[in-house]
Amino acid sequence: MLGQVDRIVQERLRHLLQELVERLSLATSEAVSLRRLTQDGRTLLTVAWYHPDPEVREATGRVVSAPGSVEDSGMWRPVVGGRVVRYHMPAGSLPEQASAAQAVLLARYPLRAIMGAPVRAEDGVLLGGVALIRFARDAPFSDADERILIAFAHQVSRLLALVELD
């Protein structure tokens, strides 16, 4: 029975995090990705991902949801290093930190801006990160956007800490 309880808790926990990511996405009209570091700190796993446009969500979901090593995490590297980062790219450009897989995705769906924030446990341990991703609208993220993202990261930190990774 305990195994069943653990499985149900994990399913509901992931469902809740997915719902929260979707709500942030719909509130901001941006894509949102929530990632968790593995226990060894070497790999980033996507816990929840959402884009308000179904076509973009389906086309980008596989790349965004793929596990990646921290070493090759591209734009996630500074976030898992513990920093809030913002990028605003001119049309047709790629961030220098983009990984090869991200570059392929961004050729089809040009990225205009991305902002990421670390997610930390209550004791300060880095759990992962959350990002707002702007594909279409050419506007940098604002200080208000950053405050929303940091508040979201803080709110989901207790839940993300409970996610068991496969």
Side-chain angles (χ1 to χ4, degrees), residues 104-122:
V104 170
L105 170 69
L106 298 177
R108 181 167 180 200
Y109 296 100
L111 180 69
R112 299 313 312 263
I114 186 168
M115 179 173 51
V119 177
R120 294 185 180 279
E122 290 181 4

Side-chain angles (χ1 to χ4, degrees), residues 13-146:
L13 181 58
R14 286 178 180 263
H15 180 77
L16 176 58
L17 286 166
Q18 181 64 38
E19 183 179 343
L20 294 173
V21 161
E22 289 177 21
R23 288 178 184 247
L24 178 60
S25 174
L26 295 171
T28 61
S29 299
E30 310 298 347
V32 177
S33 181
L34 177 63
R35 292 190 168 196
R36 174 86 156 86
L37 281 168
T38 54
Q39 294 292 348
D40 63 8
R42 298 166 126 185
T43 306
L44 274 170
L45 300 174
T46 300
V47 174
W49 148 258
Y50 191 79
H51 189 285
D53 181 304
E55 179 185 329
V56 177
R57 182 172 58 242
E58 183 177 334
T60 60
R62 286 179 295 281
V63 172
V64 172
S65 296
S69 73
V70 170
E71 226 174 78
D72 189 32
S73 63
M75 296 171 286
W76 283 95
R77 196 172 304 122
V79 174
V80 297
R83 293 189 355 226
V84 174
V85 294
R86 291 188 217 179
Y87 301 100
H88 179 245
M89 281 68 62
S93 68
L94 289 174
E96 291 178 23
Q97 298 87 352
S99 67
Q102 290 167 338
V104 170
L105 170 69
L106 298 177
R108 181 167 180 200
Y109 296 100
L111 180 69
R112 299 313 312 263
I114 186 168
M115 179 173 51
V119 177
R120 294 185 180 279
E122 290 181 4
D123 62 3
V125 171
L126 187 68
L127 298 171
V130 61
L132 289 177
I133 306 159
R134 185 171 285 157
F135 287 102
R137 191 163 54 107
D138 183 17
F141 284 105
S142 68
D143 291 344
D145 295 323
E146 185 175 316

